[in-house]
Amino acid sequence: AIGKAPSAEAEQEWSMTLSELWDLEMGEYEGSPVAIDVKMTEEAEAEARRWYAAHTEERNRENFMPGLIGPWSKMRAYFFRIALVLYYLSKIQKETKETKVDLLAIKRASILMDYFKSHARTVYTRLYHRKDDRLAERAITWVKEREGRRCTARDLMRASFVKKASEAADLIKDLVDRGWGKVEKEEVGPNKQEVRYFVFRGGELEF
């Protein structure tokens, strides 16, 4: 039942599980502990690639909600971290004898990511949009329609999103902080003048 405290047996089993996770050994290099590489089985890798491709396609849709670009980008890493945790949990619980991250862990991670996505959509849709949220979403929609999907601070001023250079710089920083793109530098003209561009991260993501 909701709100019911876990049984003593469940608490004991969970405590033992955490202890076994804590006791997992790291690698060693020249006497110092180092991370170890954990591979996936062929089936697990194929399923992970399928999930990653579908996630990438979803994120790159033209009508994708701008507010979700940042969270969706972070979920690429979360997926594999969660799969790794689930693999070791199933290994400690004797659900698998596999020495590599298996298909079960990947499928379970996919289910959890769908759960997190559904809640993220609900929360971001219902959140109150502040003035800077609306400005950022209008700006990113405008950038996505430009050639090369990029702009300078001056471009933002010319398009009347902001009036001052400092405001344009702040807006670009905000777009980057939201995970919607990055700043790239380019030398233009005969004098090789350096120009800073905000570039929308809308290209296809690689596995």
Side-chain angles (χ1 to χ4, degrees), residues 1 13 18 24 36 44 49 59 63-64 75 79-80 116 121 124 131 133 135 151 154 169 174 181 193 205:
E13 186 169 345
L18 293 179
L24 289 173
I36 59 174
R49 288 181 178 275
R59 179 200 175 282
N63 62 345
F64 189 69
M75 285 182 186
F79 173 76
F80 293 101
F116 294 148
R121 291 189 189 96
Y124 277 82
K131 182 179 179 180
D133 293 326
L135 176 62
C151 72
R154 181 172 294 182
D174 186 32
Q193 181 179 1
L205 302 174

Side-chain angles (χ1 to χ4, degrees), residues 87-99:
Y87 161 69
Y88 275 110
L89 283 173
S90 64
K91 192 173 180 67
I92 288 172
Q93 294 295 332
K94 305 298 188 295
E95 286 185 322
T96 180
K97 296 181 180 180
E98 182 59 62
T99 58

Side-chain angles (χ1 to χ4, degrees), residues 140 143 149-151 172 175-176 180-182 197-200:
I140 201 64
V143 172
R149 293 186 167 188
R150 65 179 190 172
C151 72
I172 288 178
L175 297 178
V176 173
W180 295 354
K182 59 183 179 179
Y197 289 93
F198 167 79
V199 183
F200 172 67

